[in-house]
């Protein structure tokens, strides 16, 4: 279940972050991009674009959300400052447990140090961030 601070950014599905981490020039693992994916419409199972969802860019320093998009899959939707179903404000909202979320993905990448780039799916729950999965095919088009 989504953290209470972001529960209204969902139509019932678990909202997840896609966070890209890379191995930097010092051999450390760091996040470079992040989006929050949110389910929209009748699909209350998954939050991805291919199921009609939207994603909002996340500022890496602050955890603040930008406007959401479906990357043009529904041109009539455009950029969303609020969730299309719940009408809860997206733009300008700060994610809970943001530092902990970034730390989690960096530590997780270190466990797979043979990979240069990983796309992590992370849910922010009431008790903090939880890894859902790591993706070798990171879907960089999301960012």
């Amino acid at each position: 279940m989504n953290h209470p601070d972001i529960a209204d950014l969902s139509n019932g599905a678990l909202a997840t972050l896609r966070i890209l981490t890379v191995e930097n020039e010092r051999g450390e693992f760091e996040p470079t991009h992040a989006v929050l994916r949110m389910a929209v419409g009748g699909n209350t199972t998954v939050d991805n674009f291919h199921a009609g969802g939207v994603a909002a860019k996340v500022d890496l320093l602050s955890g603040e959300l930008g406007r959401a998009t479906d990357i043009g899959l529904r041109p009539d939707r455009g950029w969303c400052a609020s969730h299309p179903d719940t009408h809860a404000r997206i733009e300008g909202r700060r994610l809970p447990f943001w530092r902990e979320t970034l730390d989690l993905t960096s530590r997780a990448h270190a466990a797979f140090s043979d990979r240069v780039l990983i796309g992590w799916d992370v849910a922010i729950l009431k008790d903090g961030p939880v890894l859902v999965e790591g993706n070798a095919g990171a879907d960089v088009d999301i960012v």
Side-chain angles (χ1 to χ4, degrees), residues 11-78:
N11 66 355
L14 185 65
T16 61
L17 292 148
R18 171 60 60 93
I19 301 175
L20 302 183
T21 58
V22 300
E23 181 177 6
N24 67 24
E25 65 281 359
R26 294 179 304 281
E28 302 164 341
F29 304 99
E30 65 178 318
T32 61
H33 298 83
V35 296
L36 177 67
R37 301 178 301 183
M38 300 158 275
V40 173
N43 177 8
T44 59
T45 307
V46 295
D47 58 2
N48 65 43
F49 287 141
H50 304 295
V54 295
K57 179 182 176 182
V58 183
D59 180 85
L60 286 179
L61 294 176
S62 66
E64 184 175 301
L65 298 175
R67 291 180 296 159
T69 181
D70 64 2
I71 62 171
L73 296 176
R74 288 192 48 189
D76 58 314
R77 180 172 287 147

